[in-house]
């Protein structure tokens, strides 16, 4: 019984399974047919869209083909027109070239010049014009630079001179000695002139005794020897004992004293100018210049003043002032040696400084301070400027009235000797010559030539401190009278 129930259940299950399988198969077949129908419909829609797009593309291509065909026709038409115009241009160019050749031949025949010669003439004219324009430009640039340089130089020099307080006229070496009494002349002369003979033999100085009351004169080209003799005579007169042996003893002592004073004067000059250590022989020789004068100006005072001026100008220009002050202090040291060595004091001083281990720039500045050697350094130029400022400032040097008047007259004569000069005026105590020229005779270039020649002749013929400016004035004046 139980077996029969189990078999029936299995059969039922099998039937149910088969039914389920059949239903599933039917459903799948139905879905497949629906998918096929949808795919066919989608394919048909895609085909139709593709055909529409293809129709539109064909229509667009047809339109573009027609447009390109029209453009090609137009291009062919333009090509023909361009060919015709090219031919016309070629014919016109040939005609123009023919006209140019004919015109050039006609111009050559008329002017008597070939084309190359005419071209060369045009080039020369252009070069001349360019050179004139360049010369004008260069002149303007030079004028502006000169004005600016002169203005700045004036400011530097004026500032340096204003900062320096110096005497108007420095002291000079003493050559006249006053005796306390007239009878002292006899004691100085001695019996049969033996005292004066011994004095002159020992000191190397001429003792001049004339009719001037209580006055004797010491004459010698060497200022140190003259100062030694003056000091010797001063001590002899003060002591009152004057005889040959005493003269020799006092002179030896005076020579030592003058030597000491020279060294002290040189050391004081170094301290005043703030210059470093220097060879002792240079210091001693520098100190001897305290007894020498040039145009009434004490040489050592001039050197100290020049060193101060040069240092101030160097500081204004941003240059190291130490070598400039050193060179300015030594630039006239050759004046202490010119009676012993041949040559100008600039060359002698430069050689003396070189032999005592002074730097090369200092030696060059000493040699170049009077223009005997071309200045190659800023230091040399500043030493020149300081020397001119110290010697040329008002009151620094003196000269006799007669020599001064002769120099002014000669200045005017030199300028008046040139053609076209109307008037000449020596101005500013002979430091400027103003030359008035006739404008109808002398042009601008002629005025420059006159100024240059006058300055050159003055420098060659005259001796003067500082510098002399030559100014040539050329002006035109037109005057009418209203009636």
């Amino acid at each position: 019984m139980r077996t029969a129930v189990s078999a029936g259940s299995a059969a039922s299950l099998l039937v149910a399974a088969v039914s389920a399988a059949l239903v599933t198969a039917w459903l799948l077949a139905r879905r497949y047919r629906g998918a096929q129908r949808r795919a066919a419909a989608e394919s048909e829609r895609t085909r139709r869209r593709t055909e529409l797009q293809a129709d539109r593309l064909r229509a667009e291509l047809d339109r573009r083909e027609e447009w390109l065909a029209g453009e090609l026709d137009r291009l062919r038409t333009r090509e023909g027109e361009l060919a015709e115009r090219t031919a016309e241009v070629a014919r016109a160019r040939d005609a123009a070239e023919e006209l140019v050749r004919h015109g050039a031949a006609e111009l050559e025949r008329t002017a008597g010049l070939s084309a190359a010669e005419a071209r060369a003439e045009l080039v020369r004219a252009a070069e001349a014009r360019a050179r004139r324009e360049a010369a004008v430009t260069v002149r303007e640039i030079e004028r502006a630079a000169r004005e600016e340089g002169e203005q700045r130089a004036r400011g530097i020099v004026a500032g340096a001179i204003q900062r320096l307080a110096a005497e108007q006229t420095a002291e000079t070496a003493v050559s006249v000695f006053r005796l306390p009494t007239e009878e002292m002349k006899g004691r100085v002369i001695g019996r049969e002139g033996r005292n004066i003979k011994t004095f002159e033999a020992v000191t190397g100085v001429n003792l001049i005794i004339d009719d001037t009351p209580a006055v004797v004169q010491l004459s010698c080209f060497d200022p140190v020897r003259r100062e030694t003799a003056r000091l010797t005579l001063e001590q002899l007169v003060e002591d009152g004992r004057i005889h040959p042996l005493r003269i020799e003893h006092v002179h030896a002592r005076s020579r030592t004293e003058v030597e000491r004073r020279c060294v002290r004067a040189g050391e004081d000059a170094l301290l005043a100018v703030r210059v470093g250590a220097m060879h002792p022989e240079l210091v001693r020789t520098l100190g001897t210049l305290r007894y020498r004068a040039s145009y009434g100006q004490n040489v050592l005072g001039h050197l100290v003043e020049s060193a101060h001026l040069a240092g101030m100008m160097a500081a204004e220009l941003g240059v190291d002032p130490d070598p400039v002050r050193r060179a300015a202090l030594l630039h006239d040291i050759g004046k202490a040696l010119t009676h012993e060595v041949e040559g100008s004091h600039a060359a002698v001083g430069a050689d003396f400084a070189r032999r005592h281990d002074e730097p090369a720039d200092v030696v060059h500045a000493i040699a170049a301070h009077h223009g005997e050697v071309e200045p190659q350094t800023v230091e040399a130029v500043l030493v020149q400027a300081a020397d001119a400022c110290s010697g040329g400032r008002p009151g620094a040097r003196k000269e006799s009235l007669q020599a001064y008047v002769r120099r002014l007259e000669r200045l005017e004569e030199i300028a008046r000797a040139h053609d076209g000069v109307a008037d000449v005026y020596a101005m500013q105590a002979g430091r400027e010559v103003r030359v008035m020229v006739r404008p109808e005779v002398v042009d601008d270039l002629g005025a420059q030539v006159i100024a240059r020649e006058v300055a050159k002749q003055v420098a060659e013929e005259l001796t003067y401190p500082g510098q002399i400016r030559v100014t040539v004035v050329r002006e035109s004046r037109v005057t009418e009278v209203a009636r």
Side-chain angles (χ1 to χ4, degrees):
M1 183 68 179
R2 185 178 298 171
T3 304
V5 174
S6 299
S9 297
S12 299
L13 290 171
L14 180 61
V15 170
V18 170
S19 299
L22 291 174
V23 172
T24 301
W26 180 80
L27 289 173
L28 290 174
R30 184 176 179 184
R31 289 180 180 176
Y32 175 72
R33 287 194 295 273
Q36 282 184 335
R37 287 194 297 273
R38 287 194 297 275
E42 183 65 27
S43 176
E44 181 64 22
R45 286 194 297 274
T46 301
R47 184 183 65 78
R48 289 179 181 175
R49 285 197 301 272
T50 302
E51 289 180 352
L52 289 174
Q53 291 178 356
D55 292 339
R56 286 197 294 272
L57 287 174
R58 280 195 293 272
E60 182 67 23
L61 288 175
D62 291 340
R63 286 195 299 274
R64 292 196 175 184
E65 185 178 359
E66 292 177 359
W67 180 80
L68 289 175
E71 287 295 319
L72 182 59
D73 293 338
R74 286 193 293 273
L75 287 175
R76 288 173 179 172
T77 302
R78 289 185 179 180
E79 185 178 0
E81 294 176 353
L82 288 175
E84 293 178 359
R85 291 184 179 180
T86 301
E88 292 178 359
V89 168
R91 289 192 296 271
R93 184 177 61 249
D94 294 339
E97 290 178 354
E98 181 63 26
L99 287 174
V100 169
R101 284 194 295 271
H102 179 73
E106 186 65 21
L107 284 174
E108 291 178 4
R109 185 184 63 80
T110 303
L113 295 174
S114 63
E117 293 173 345
R119 188 160 41 251
E121 185 65 26
L122 287 175
V123 170
R124 283 194 295 270
E127 287 180 355
R129 185 170 58 254
R131 286 179 180 175
R132 285 195 298 272
E133 294 175 355
V136 172
T137 304
V138 169
R139 184 177 296 179
E140 289 296 323
I141 294 174
E142 288 179 349
R143 182 188 59 77
R146 186 163 50 251
E147 290 178 356
E148 182 179 356
E150 288 179 356
Q151 183 176 3
R152 187 178 179 192
R154 288 194 194 98
I156 292 173
V157 173
I161 292 176
Q162 287 174 358
R163 290 169 58 187
L164 179 67
E167 297 176 348
Q168 284 295 98
T169 303
E171 61 178 339
T172 62
V174 177
S175 59
V176 176
F177 185 81
R178 294 190 176 276
L179 300 173
T181 61
E182 180 66 19
E183 96 176 285
M184 186 61 70
K185 283 186 180 181
R187 300 176 64 181
V188 170
I189 296 172
R191 184 178 299 176
E192 298 178 355
R194 63 178 183 174
N195 287 347
I196 190 171
K197 291 178 182 178
T198 303
F199 184 88
E200 292 180 348
V202 170
T203 62
V205 176
N206 292 326
L207 189 60
I208 303 173
I209 300 178
D210 54 16
D211 296 335
T212 307
V215 170
V216 295
Q217 296 181 359
L218 300 168
S219 175
C220 178
F221 68 92
D222 189 337
V224 177
R225 277 164 42 190
R226 186 170 64 242
E227 175 63 15
T228 305
R230 187 199 67 81
L231 187 61
T232 301
L233 183 60
E234 180 182 4
Q235 293 180 9
L236 289 171
V237 170
E238 183 179 355
D239 184 68
R241 294 176 294 171
I242 305 177
H243 53 80
L245 186 62
R246 179 70 177 169
I247 291 172
E248 293 177 0
H249 175 71
V250 173
H251 177 263
R253 190 170 60 189
S254 299
R255 186 166 53 188
T256 303
E257 176 64 18
V258 170
E259 187 78 14
R260 186 189 64 79
R261 290 182 182 182
C262 289
V263 174
R264 181 62 181 271
E267 293 174 348
D268 290 344
L270 296 185
L271 291 175
V273 182
R274 302 189 303 279
V275 173
M278 191 177 290
H279 194 281
E281 185 62 22
L282 284 175
V283 177
R284 187 196 67 79
T285 307
L286 187 66
T288 61
L289 292 174
R290 68 172 293 187
Y291 301 113
R292 186 183 179 103
S294 177
Y295 291 99
Q297 183 181 32
N298 183 269
V299 177
L300 184 57
H302 163 66
L303 293 180
V304 172
E305 182 179 344
S306 299
H308 284 305
L309 288 169
M312 293 175 191
M313 289 188 285
E316 291 291 335
L317 293 173
V319 180
D320 184 8
D322 292 338
V324 179
R325 285 198 297 263
R326 193 179 190 92
L329 182 64
L330 295 174
H331 78 271
D332 273 347
I333 196 170
K335 288 184 176 180
L337 307 168
T338 50
H339 62 282
E340 302 174 0
V341 183
E342 293 184 359
S344 66
H345 73 273
V348 172
D351 183 66
F352 187 67
R354 186 185 301 107
R355 286 189 282 109
H356 290 88
D357 303 325
E358 284 298 307
D361 53 350
V362 173
V363 173
H364 171 69
I366 295 173
H369 79 274
H370 274 322
E372 299 172 7
V373 177
E374 187 69 23
Q376 301 294 335
T377 62
V378 178
E379 290 81 2
V381 176
L382 288 175
V383 170
Q384 277 188 340
D387 180 34
C389 290
S390 176
R393 65 180 177 82
R397 296 181 176 181
K398 61 183 179 181
E399 55 184 339
S400 66
L401 178 60
Q402 185 178 4
Y404 169 73
V405 173
R406 281 201 305 268
R407 178 162 62 85
L408 294 187
E409 291 176 350
R410 182 56 185 158
L411 279 175
E412 294 187 352
E413 289 176 1
I414 291 174
R416 194 173 286 109
H418 291 77
D419 295 334
V421 175
D423 293 303
V424 180
Y425 304 106
M427 307 178 68
Q428 296 184 6
R431 299 195 178 277
E432 180 179 356
V433 180
R434 188 161 298 178
V435 183
M436 315 295 292
V437 298
R438 291 191 290 271
E440 67 276 8
V441 177
V442 181
D443 57 6
D444 289 341
L445 292 178
Q448 295 180 6
V449 171
I450 290 175
R452 190 178 302 111
E453 291 180 350
V454 170
K456 181 180 179 181
Q457 190 173 356
V458 167
E460 291 176 350
E461 294 187 12
L462 301 182
T463 301
Y464 49 89
Q467 62 183 10
I468 296 177
R469 180 184 300 275
V470 179
T471 303
V472 178
V473 180
R474 177 182 180 270
E475 60 180 2
S476 300
R477 295 185 181 181
V478 178
T479 304
E480 292 290 343
V481 179
R483 299 183 183 279

